[in-house]
Amino acid sequence: MTDTTALNELRPLVFSIAYRMLGSVAEAEDVAQETLLRAHREVRDGTEIASPKAYMTAVATRLAIDELRSARVRREAYVGPWLPEPLLTRAGADPSVDLVADAELADDLSMAFLLVLERLTPTERAVFLLREAFDYTFAEIAEVVDKTPDNCRQIAARARRHVITAKPRFESSRAARESLAKRFLTAAQEGDMEGLVSMLAEDAVFTGDGGGKATAFPEPLVGAERIAHAMRALFRQRARLGASVEPVEVNGQPGWLARDREGAVIVVMALEIAGGAVTGIRSVVNPDKLGHLGPVSDVARRGRGA
């Protein structure tokens, strides 16, 4: 008889696949829960699951493909830039951390990389991730997506070509990333324009996601000078509001989380660092994307502190 404990132990893997597919913590948790419920229902009904891992991977991936298709329709009406929901992958308040504890926290979890995957069709995304991030064989993937192994090999090759052309670069040394992020945060808190500009790449991009529900820049900001001015203004505003800022790791990259005086989350920011400079900043202030981190502040929703 299928060991139900083994099914429960596969939940972290299922969540990891679903989150990379969907870029949403809430939706990934829904997929993980539904997958687990279906597996337990099969066992309760007397069905022997020969390979729990293969079964749950197939169910989760198919559910994620269906969800991604409907999510793309919703995103067409999204207000402003869309970013994945931030996942705190190291010390932080995110209860989902345990769900990815057994998954390699590599660059394929970064917001920048998840945005690259948005260019793929749902099936291409599934095949690419199962092959590249989770090391499934093409025969195993074929069973999941109902294609032949040869078809999956062709899909993976096509997806890889799309990804390679836009794949983000990151500083290879974690210590170097964290050191620069710490200095960048200090400069932002002190309003040090010269310091901020010196650490930003000339073509750096700042992207804010308010989803029409919180104050955020309607279009990405490009250029070191513009971003430095914006960062100084944002941190001055937060200082006036008495907000606290704590360094965290966001989707495998350095960043920080800001809270209001009551401890509610205002915003999560992730830095992209390459070549010894900050090349990108992703700022999520949409309250719908922060609820998994705890109580969400209404400061930004009142337009007082994006």
Side-chain angles (χ1 to χ4, degrees), residues 4-304:
T4 56
T5 300
L7 297 177
N8 295 334
E9 291 175 347
L10 287 168
R11 183 183 173 109
L13 172 64
V14 170
F15 176 87
S16 298
I17 293 171
Y19 178 76
R20 285 170 171 82
M21 282 287 293
L22 301 168
S24 166
V25 174
E27 291 171 359
E29 287 177 339
D30 288 344
V31 166
Q33 183 64 19
E34 177 61 24
T35 300
L36 200 57
L37 286 173
R38 291 191 184 189
H40 280 292
R41 192 180 303 127
E42 291 286 334
V43 173
R44 188 184 65 236
D45 292 343
T47 302
E48 178 67 25
I49 301 177
S51 172
K53 181 181 177 182
Y55 173 85
M56 293 185 69
T57 295
V59 172
T61 303
R62 290 165 188 163
L63 288 172
I65 287 174
D66 291 342
E67 180 61 31
L68 187 57
R69 285 170 177 155
S70 60
R72 288 191 163 189
V73 174
R74 295 194 300 272
R75 289 173 195 172
E76 290 177 359
Y78 197 80
V79 179
W82 179 91
L83 292 175
E85 289 182 17
L87 187 67
L88 303 194
T89 49
R90 226 172 161 189
D94 193 338
S96 299
V97 171
D98 290 343
L99 297 178
V100 294
D102 71 340
E104 182 181 4
L105 300 177
D107 292 345
D108 63 34
L109 196 60
S110 72
M111 286 193 181
F113 189 74
L114 293 179
L115 287 170
V116 171
L117 295 183
E118 288 290 304
R119 305 181 182 194
L120 306 179
T121 68
T123 299
E124 286 175 339
R125 189 163 179 164
V127 171
F128 178 83
L129 285 171
L130 290 175
R131 180 60 178 172
E132 300 294 329
F134 296 96
D135 201 30
Y136 280 72
T137 67
F138 286 118
E140 291 170 326
I141 297 171
E143 292 291 328
V144 173
V145 298
D146 196 24
K147 304 281 186 182
T148 67
D150 283 343
N151 283 342
C152 289
R153 190 174 287 104
Q154 293 168 2
I155 292 170
R158 184 169 63 245
R160 195 178 299 113
R161 286 195 297 271
H162 286 304
V163 170
I164 287 175
T165 59
K167 187 175 182 178
R169 295 183 303 109
F170 295 105
E171 197 74 43
S172 58
S173 167
R174 178 188 291 273
R177 290 199 304 262
E178 292 179 348
S179 176
L180 181 57
K182 182 177 180 180
R183 289 184 283 118
F184 190 79
L185 175 57
T186 298
Q189 291 173 319
E190 295 177 351
D192 179 4
M193 275 292 296
E194 184 177 345
L196 288 170
V197 172
S198 70
M199 287 181 273
L200 283 159
E202 289 186 8
D203 58 351
V205 180
F206 180 109
T207 307
D209 180 343
K213 299 184 178 183
T215 305
F217 296 113
E219 299 290 340
L221 300 180
V222 180
E225 288 280 351
R226 293 186 70 196
I227 295 173
H229 279 290
M231 292 299 296
R232 183 172 65 174
L234 289 172
F235 273 81
R236 282 179 175 174
Q237 193 172 42
R238 293 198 180 110
R240 289 195 299 270
L241 293 167
S244 63
V245 179
E246 59 186 274
V248 292
E249 185 178 89
V250 185
N251 290 67
Q253 305 301 320
W256 53 78
L257 180 152
R259 300 180 186 274
D260 65 17
R261 286 189 177 94
E262 287 71 44
V265 179
I266 300 173
V267 62
V268 173
M269 288 188 174
L271 300 182
E272 293 158 19
I273 296 173
V278 176
T279 58
I281 302 174
R282 312 278 180 179
S283 172
V284 179
V285 72
N286 182 345
D288 292 347
K289 296 186 175 184
L290 301 175
H292 61 287
L293 301 175
V296 180
S297 176
D298 64 353
V299 166
R301 279 178 283 191
R302 291 198 302 263
R304 297 195 306 167

